[in-house]
Amino acid sequence: MSLLLPDADTTVAAGRRLADLLGAGDLVVLTGGLGAGKTTLTRGLGEGLGVRGAVTSPTFVIARVHPSLVGGPELVHVDAYRLGGSAELDDLDLDSELDEAVTVVEWGAGLAEGLADERLEIILVADPATEARTLTATGVGARWAGVDVESHLQEAVGATTRTSADEGGVP
């Protein structure tokens, strides 16, 4: 099953709702092509967590830390697109903040899994003809056992779930 997010506003709303499920020590690995909505989802997540600063793509600075304005965990937002491998990700020393923050790693598939045994993996696929995105969430580890992320997000954004057979097989 996957979740259809019809536009950027809905993607932000999904991120705000996702914040309800996250706390200090959680790792979110975002995967998707250019324009798939990774930063848009993270912007909503930052709003939901109540962090300081505009959440924008950290492509050139690699990582940004957004402190909490409401006494919650900070948001560590990483863009691994320009990293050459897991050794360069290790050089960012994310381990030191992982237990105290919500850490989001864009382009993290194949790189960020070693940061935590428990993580939320989200794949976003954009429809090139529209602003619609398809979100698929997979929880890894005991922390995510029994958590239906997609249903939680669906309730907030009024989006619909679909199978990969819907709409021409788009995953």
Side-chain angles (χ1 to χ4, degrees):
M1 296 294 286
S2 58
L3 182 69
L4 180 63
L5 305 171
D7 54 33
D9 289 341
T10 307
T11 304
V12 171
R16 280 194 302 267
R17 180 70 170 173
L18 180 61
D20 296 344
L21 296 176
L22 299 174
D26 283 333
L27 172 65
V28 179
V29 179
L30 296 178
T31 303
L34 289 171
K38 297 178 297 297
T39 301
T40 303
L41 184 74
T42 306
R43 183 177 336 124
L45 179 59
E47 290 175 11
L49 290 173
V51 300
R52 184 179 71 211
V55 175
T56 60
S57 178
T59 299
F60 295 103
V61 296
I62 308 298
R64 283 196 176 98
V65 178
H66 298 274
S68 176
L69 295 172
V70 296
E74 64 188 9
L75 172 64
V76 177
H77 184 198
V78 180
D79 188 329
Y81 183 75
R82 296 189 182 283
L83 298 181
S86 57
E88 288 185 25
L89 185 63
D90 287 342
D91 289 344
L92 295 177
D93 199 25
L94 295 174
D95 299 21
S96 64
E97 299 183 55
L98 203 58
D99 291 340
E100 302 165 5
V102 171
T103 303
V104 176
V105 182
E106 293 187 30
W107 302 96
L111 295 173
E113 293 86 356
L115 291 173
D117 291 334
E118 299 180 326
R119 63 191 171 276
L120 181 60
E121 298 176 351
I122 295 178
I123 299 172
L124 290 161
V125 177
D127 181 339
T130 69
E131 288 188 39
R133 292 148 172 113
T134 302
L135 179 149
T136 305
T138 305
V140 176
R143 156 72 176 92
W144 295 101
V147 179
D148 187 349
V149 176
E150 292 164 3
S151 291
H152 183 77
L153 298 181
Q154 181 179 359
E155 291 173 14
V157 301
T160 58
T161 55
R162 63 182 183 177
T163 66
S164 59
D166 295 337
E167 296 200 21
V170 176

